[in-house]
């Protein structure tokens, strides 16, 4: 769970407030000082928060790191982290206790971290230290979105997340441009089963490659229809239609004319690529 320390920092403040209610301080977006690592929290109720952490890198854009859940229940504060690609998809649970100006979460059975210590510096900054077996990491987290007076007890309005919108290249409506591709039956009417099987095996492998290269974000087949539409793709991070046409022709089924395509410019939510980590979690 090497990424866990990037998304636990908000928990420290709970120790400075009422034990049964989680403070509105948590709500919003926070950034690890000096790194392109972020976490966002949404407040579901006085005693329940859900969130996620994400990173940003040039050329790869946004990548979700983990999903997080924080509850105050039966006099205890329980934090769960589900790191993508780790622990067989199972969440790790930590139990908290607090002092005057610090908060500690413990899980002695976990490999790393076993202990997480937090200290509030200000309404916009907190210090975090995590460790196990003599190994420790420390860093600060900085609030990215604020509304109104920081000393107010009112819940911060986080409907609009400016930092996330910028990283996703969203316009003022939360939208961005994509390419929508419709796949149709091609001109090759061959009955050669070996060619057909090899082409469509390569078709699926090519889809996975383009997803991993952060170009293809949606792919799926149509049901039977009179227009001979076979499937669709949605692409981003592609400069123009000419570049996309070259990319599409790397697909063996298209290259062998078993499939043909038509490209359409399309505008959709800039948050669309963020569904991809969920698709891995629900597929056996």
């Amino acid at each position: 769970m090497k990424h866990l320390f990037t998304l636990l920092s908000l928990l420290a403040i709970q120790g400075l407030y009422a034990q049964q209610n989680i403070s509105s301080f948590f709500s919003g977006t926070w950034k690890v000082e000096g790194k392109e690592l972020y976490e966002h929290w949404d407040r579901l109720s006085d005693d329940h928060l859900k969130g996620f952490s994400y990173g940003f890198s040039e050329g790869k854009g946004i990548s979700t790191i983990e999903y997080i859940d924080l509850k105050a229940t039966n006099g205890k504060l329980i934090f769960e982290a589900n790191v993508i690609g780790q622990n067989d998809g199972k969440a790790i649970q930590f139990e908290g206790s607090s002092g005057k100006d610090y908060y500690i979460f413990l899980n002695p059975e976990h490999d790393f971290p076993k202990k997480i210590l937090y200290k509030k510096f200000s309404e916009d900054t907190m210090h975090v230290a995590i460790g196990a077996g003599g190994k420790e990491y420390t860093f600060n987290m900085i609030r990215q979105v604020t509304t109104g007076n920081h000393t107010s007890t009112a819940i911060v309005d986080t409907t609009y997340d400016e930092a996330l919108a910028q990283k996703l290249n969203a316009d003022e409506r939360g939208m961005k441009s994509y390419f929508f591709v419709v796949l149709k039956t091609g001109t090759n009417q061959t009955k050669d089963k070996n060619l057909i099987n090899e082409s469509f095996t390569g078709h699926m492998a090519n889809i996975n490659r383009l997803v991993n290269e952060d170009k293809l974000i949606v792919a799926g087949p149509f049901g039977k229809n009179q227009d001979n539409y076979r499937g669709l793709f949605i692409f981003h991070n592609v400069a123009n239609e000419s570049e996309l046409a070259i990319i599409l022709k790397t697909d063996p089924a298209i290259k062998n004319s078993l499939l043909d395509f038509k490209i359409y410019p399309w505008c959709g939510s800039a948050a669309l690529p963020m569904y991809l980590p969920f698709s891995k979690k629900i597929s056996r």
Side-chain angles (χ1 to χ4, degrees), residues 84-101:
I84 293 174
Q86 297 187 28
N87 199 40
D88 296 324
K90 298 176 182 178
I92 301 297
Q93 188 175 99
F94 294 79
E95 185 172 330
S97 60
S98 64
K100 181 180 178 180
D101 60 354

Side-chain angles (χ1 to χ4, degrees), residues 65-284:
I65 297 171
E66 64 184 331
Y67 301 97
I68 43 184
D69 189 278
L70 177 60
K71 289 183 181 180
T73 179
N74 298 324
K76 297 180 180 180
L77 188 68
I78 302 298
F79 173 83
E80 291 187 346
N82 195 326
V83 182
I84 293 174
Q86 297 187 28
N87 199 40
D88 296 324
K90 298 176 182 178
I92 301 297
Q93 188 175 99
F94 294 79
E95 185 172 330
S97 60
S98 64
K100 181 180 178 180
D101 60 354
Y102 66 88
Y103 210 89
I104 296 176
F105 278 84
L106 298 174
N107 182 339
E109 303 302 318
H110 188 48
D111 53 359
F112 190 91
K114 296 180 184 293
K115 181 175 72 173
I116 309 154
L117 172 68
Y118 308 90
K119 184 177 178 64
K120 179 182 177 182
F121 282 168
S122 72
E123 291 296 325
D124 290 332
T125 308
M126 63 180 80
H127 180 72
V128 183
I130 68 170
K135 184 177 182 180
E136 184 176 81
Y137 293 97
T138 62
F139 55 95
N140 293 334
M141 292 285 284
I142 310 298
R143 184 191 294 275
Q144 297 297 289
V145 179
T146 58
T147 300
N149 188 342
H150 287 238
T151 62
S152 171
T153 58
I155 295 176
V156 177
D157 182 2
T158 59
T159 302
Y160 177 64
D161 185 336
E162 184 177 8
L164 181 58
Q166 290 177 351
K167 295 305 181 185
L168 292 172
N169 296 316
D171 64 18
E172 62 184 6
R173 298 169 300 158
M175 309 286 277
K176 78 172 189 178
S177 296
Y178 298 87
F179 288 109
F180 190 101
V181 178
V182 176
L183 298 175
K184 299 185 65 174
T185 300
T187 57
N188 188 347
Q189 301 298 309
T190 181
K191 303 297 183 182
D192 185 339
K193 291 184 178 180
N194 288 332
L195 176 64
I196 294 172
N197 289 337
E198 290 176 3
S199 295
F200 282 97
T201 296
H203 169 74
M204 296 305 298
N206 201 59
I207 287 174
N208 291 329
R209 177 181 66 83
L210 292 172
V211 170
N212 290 334
E213 291 178 359
D214 197 30
K215 291 184 173 64
L216 179 61
I217 56 173
V218 174
F222 286 112
K224 186 176 181 180
N225 60 85
Q226 63 183 8
D227 297 311
N228 288 323
Y229 290 163
R230 302 287 295 276
L232 67 86
F233 292 148
I234 297 178
F235 284 84
H236 71 163
N237 296 333
V238 178
N240 50 52
E241 292 188 34
S242 297
E243 179 183 339
L244 180 54
I246 294 172
I247 291 172
L248 287 167
K249 290 174 183 177
T250 64
D251 185 319
I254 293 174
K255 182 178 180 181
N256 293 327
S257 298
L258 297 172
L259 293 175
D260 200 358
F261 63 87
K262 182 69 175 178
I263 300 172
Y264 301 90
W266 182 71
C267 187
S269 171
L272 182 59
M274 297 187 71
Y275 90 97
L276 284 170
F278 289 97
S279 67
K280 296 178 182 178
K281 293 172 67 66
I282 62 174
S283 174
R284 291 188 184 276

